[in-house]
Amino acid sequence: MVNVAVNVLAELGKATWLTTRAVGYETALEGVRQSIGFYSQSIATEEQSDEPDTDAIELRRAEQLAWAKRAQDLTPLDTSATESIGRDADKLLAESEDDEGSDDDAQGG
């Protein structure tokens, strides 16, 4: 077998978006990944409970799929979607942190 290096990027050309849009896009994708991870943790916690709520688990899986779909549909040129995803991820993760703080307070931590 012959191993030949092929430059798969050579014909892509120059990006048509600004660096700030690229950074916003990557930030939005990170928000999606963290949101999916949030639901993964929530699902795992529910599955490990004494009496798992299967409806809640299915709802959280649906939320994961919705976040994944948003990432698939996103492009660096769609600034409003990028900003919307960022806001939504920040809100979800902030609520998660607030819930964790409540748990710590209840446990004396």
Side-chain angles (χ1 to χ4, degrees), residues 39-79:
Y39 285 110
S40 294
Q41 177 62 43
S42 180
I43 290 167
T45 299
E46 188 62 40
E47 288 176 335
Q48 293 170 3
S49 69
D50 292 336
E51 295 182 29
D53 182 343
T54 55
D55 290 337
I57 291 169
E58 289 307 312
L59 180 63
R60 292 168 188 156
R61 286 192 176 130
E63 289 291 336
Q64 282 183 310
L65 289 173
W67 277 99
K69 175 80 170 114
R70 290 178 80 178
Q72 287 175 337
D73 295 342
L74 189 64
T75 71
L77 298 175
D78 192 348
T79 306

Side-chain angles (χ1 to χ4, degrees), residues 38 93-109:
F38 163 78
L93 299 171
E95 289 171 1
S96 165
E97 288 176 2
D98 290 345
D99 290 345
E100 288 175 8
S102 298
D103 291 345
D104 289 346
D105 292 343
Q107 296 172 6

Side-chain angles (χ1 to χ4, degrees), residues 24-30 32 68-86:
Y25 172 74
E26 291 297 330
T27 302
L29 291 178
E30 180 60 26
V32 168
K69 175 80 170 114
R70 290 178 80 178
Q72 287 175 337
D73 295 342
L74 189 64
T75 71
L77 298 175
D78 192 348
T79 306
S80 64
T82 299
E83 291 171 353
S84 175
I85 287 173

